[in-house]
Amino acid sequence: MATAFDASDLGQGSGSVSANENDTGYRPSADEPFMNERQTAYFRAKLLAWKDAILRESQDTLTTLQKEPLREPDVTDRASSETDWSIELRTRDRQRKLISKIEAALRRIDDGEYGYCEVTGEPISLGRLEARPIATMTVEAQEAHERNEKVSRDE
C-alpha cells in the first residue's frame, strides 16, 4: 500500500491516503451518518497504512545502522555522521510514540468511540480526522486545552 507522507507526519502528521490506497474513491462525507461502518473502515485502513509505513521506515533505519557502522577516520566526518544518526534516531523515537497514538485510535474504532471528542463527546469534524486521524478532541476543545496548558506553564 502506498501512502503519501511528509516531515509533518513524524509527530503531528496527517497520514494521508493516496489515490492508490483508496481504490474505491470513497471519501467520508457529512451527507452520511457520522462514523458509520464505511467511515470507520476508511479511517481504520488509513491508520493501518500509516502505521505500516512508519514500521517500514523504522526497519530501513535499523538495516542501515547494522550495515553501515560509524567508521569515518576523520573526527569531523564522524561527528557529522553521529549528528545525522542522532537526528534519525530521535525521529524514530517520535514515530514510536506516534504508533502508540495510532494504536489508541484503532482501539477507539473497535470500542465505537472513534471520531468523538474525549472532552465534549461531540463529533470531531471529518476534515480534522482526515488531516489528523489520531485526533481525540474537536478543534475547539484542543485550543482550550492548549490555552490551559500554556497558562499552567506560565505560572
Side-chain angles (χ1 to χ4, degrees):
M1 287 195 257
T3 53
F5 293 94
D6 60 44
S8 67
D9 294 326
L10 300 178
Q12 306 298 317
S14 63
S16 300
V17 176
S18 71
N20 292 340
E21 188 168 323
N22 189 6
D23 291 334
T24 64
Y26 172 75
R27 299 290 278 200
S29 164
D31 297 338
E32 58 187 321
F34 186 71
M35 284 303 126
N36 62 50
E37 191 174 314
R38 196 168 184 199
Q39 285 183 358
T40 55
Y42 171 85
F43 284 109
R44 178 187 305 281
K46 183 174 191 136
L47 289 159
L48 288 171
W50 193 9
K51 180 180 172 184
D52 289 345
I54 292 169
L55 291 173
R56 276 193 311 275
E57 290 172 14
S58 295
Q59 187 58 48
D60 291 346
T61 298
L62 182 59
T63 300
T64 302
L65 273 172
Q66 291 171 340
K67 287 182 179 177
E68 300 175 16
L70 295 173
R71 294 192 181 163
E72 287 89 351
D74 182 68
V75 175
T76 306
D77 290 344
R78 188 175 318 133
S80 178
S81 291
E82 287 175 2
T83 300
D84 292 347
W85 279 114
S86 176
I87 292 168
E88 180 73 17
L89 293 173
R90 275 197 308 261
T91 299
R92 295 295 159 237
D93 187 52
R94 288 180 70 194
Q95 288 182 333
R96 179 186 55 80
K97 293 172 186 171
L98 180 56
I99 285 175
S100 295
K101 291 179 181 183
I102 292 170
E103 289 173 345
L106 291 167
R107 281 191 300 277
R108 287 193 306 277
I109 288 174
D110 292 340
D111 296 342
E113 298 170 1
Y114 183 80
Y116 295 92
C117 180
E118 66 183 11
V119 175
T120 66
E122 294 293 316
I124 299 170
S125 73
L126 291 173
R128 178 162 169 76
L129 291 172
E130 191 71 47
R132 185 170 173 78
I134 58 173
T136 59
M137 292 184 250
T138 61
V139 171
E140 297 80 11
Q142 182 70 41
E143 288 172 349
H145 173 75
E146 289 172 4
R147 277 192 305 274
N148 292 338
E149 202 173 75
K150 183 181 184 314
V151 168
S152 297
R153 270 188 271 132
D154 291 344
E155 291 176 349

